[in-house]
Amino acid sequence: MQIHYLSEGNSVLNHFLGQIRNVNVHNDSMRFRRNIERIGEIMAYELSKELHYAPIEIQTPLGIKNTTEIKDQLVLCSILRAGLPLHLGFLNYFDNAENGFVSAFRHHPNNDDYFDILVQYQAIADINGKNLVLVDPMLATGQSIVAVYNKLMENGTPKEIHIAVVIAAPEGIAYLEEYLPEQCHLWVASLDEKLNEHRYIVPGLGDAGDLAYGNKL
């Protein structure tokens, strides 16, 4: 797996990452969603450097300009519900992309720390021969992304696979490296320290879905 770490140098990305982690601004869900969206836009720009381009001619008012445009067909897919603001950030830049949405959540059958991943609802465009971009803010154990990936592969075979996450734990990255194809690209805005005993990211930011849309039952 080819891993791209995006926050190793100073940039406005780190500014937005700091704000989404800050408990003093967590009561402002609109600000949280907007910052996740901004992070998605920055990640989309970085990811765009790995896409394929075709030469084109543009007619301007004063002449012809030779330039390039994206040749790849993209399908953006987010994991509900936390992935929606990140999805929007990518869609702001890849406005011609097709889209998909999949629900996946931790199911605790014994009401303890053990969980499995339930993948239920999905609505996605044809992915055959296209670039699949799977986005989810948090990469904790990696089980949700692998479960969603396996479900999507029942629908076809993409040309390339890109996975974009805002915050990742080393354990989740190792899990993806074990269970996903080697040719996948993983885009990480920020790498954190570890998972805690409940398998949540530390220092992390809390529950991204709750911070974006309110507490769930």
Side-chain angles (χ1 to χ4, degrees):
M1 178 178 293
Q2 187 170 347
I3 305 176
H4 310 264
Y5 296 105
L6 303 182
S7 62
E8 294 178 334
N10 289 324
S11 75
V12 70
L13 174 61
N14 289 332
H15 178 80
F16 296 142
L17 286 167
Q19 288 191 355
I20 65 172
R21 294 181 188 270
N22 192 336
V23 295
N24 295 318
V25 296
H26 275 182
N27 61 339
D28 189 342
S29 59
M30 183 175 70
R31 186 175 177 185
F32 182 85
R33 291 193 304 270
R34 182 66 181 111
N35 281 332
I36 292 287
E37 182 181 342
R38 288 166 165 168
I39 291 169
E41 292 173 347
I42 294 169
M43 297 185 77
Y45 169 74
E46 295 296 336
L47 188 153
S48 73
K49 299 175 184 178
E50 294 292 326
L51 299 178
H52 301 92
Y53 291 78
I56 59 170
E57 289 186 347
I58 299 293
Q59 177 70 58
T60 80
L62 300 176
I64 300 293
K65 173 61 179 177
N66 293 316
T67 184
T68 60
E69 66 178 4
I70 295 173
K71 182 172 64 173
D72 296 316
Q73 293 180 281
L74 272 63
V75 178
L76 302 177
C77 182
S78 59
I79 300 177
L80 299 173
R81 62 183 168 150
L84 291 176
L86 189 62
H87 186 119
L88 181 57
F90 273 82
L91 192 58
N92 288 344
Y93 275 31
F94 300 136
D95 50 315
N96 290 323
E98 298 175 279
N99 294 272
F101 305 91
V102 180
S103 71
F105 61 94
R106 294 184 178 188
H107 173 238
H108 297 266
N110 304 317
N111 294 318
D112 56 18
D113 287 341
Y114 170 79
F115 65 86
D116 51 19
I117 302 298
L118 294 186
V119 179
Q120 295 181 327
Y121 173 84
Q122 67 167 326
I124 189 165
D126 179 19
I127 63 174
N128 275 302
K130 302 174 184 177
N131 286 22
L132 174 65
V133 182
L134 179 59
V135 304
D136 194 25
M138 311 296 284
L139 172 56
T141 67
Q143 292 173 245
S144 293
I145 287 178
V146 170
V148 168
Y149 167 83
N150 289 335
K151 186 68 174 178
L152 294 178
M153 292 307 102
E154 297 175 5
N155 300 321
T157 304
K159 181 177 71 172
E160 292 184 2
I161 301 164
H162 296 266
I163 297 169
V165 300
V166 176
I167 297 175
E171 295 92 332
I173 293 176
Y175 191 84
L176 296 193
E177 288 182 309
E178 181 176 358
Y179 289 102
L180 294 186
E182 292 183 2
Q183 63 269 27
C184 284
H185 288 261
L186 175 63
W187 301 83
V188 178
S190 184
L191 176 63
D192 274 17
E193 296 173 10
K194 61 181 181 179
L195 297 179
N196 65 13
E197 64 274 15
H198 302 295
R199 289 183 279 186
Y200 287 100
I201 301 173
V202 177
L205 53 75
D207 188 297
D210 288 354
L211 289 169
Y213 297 111
N215 293 334
K216 57 186 176 293
L217 293 177

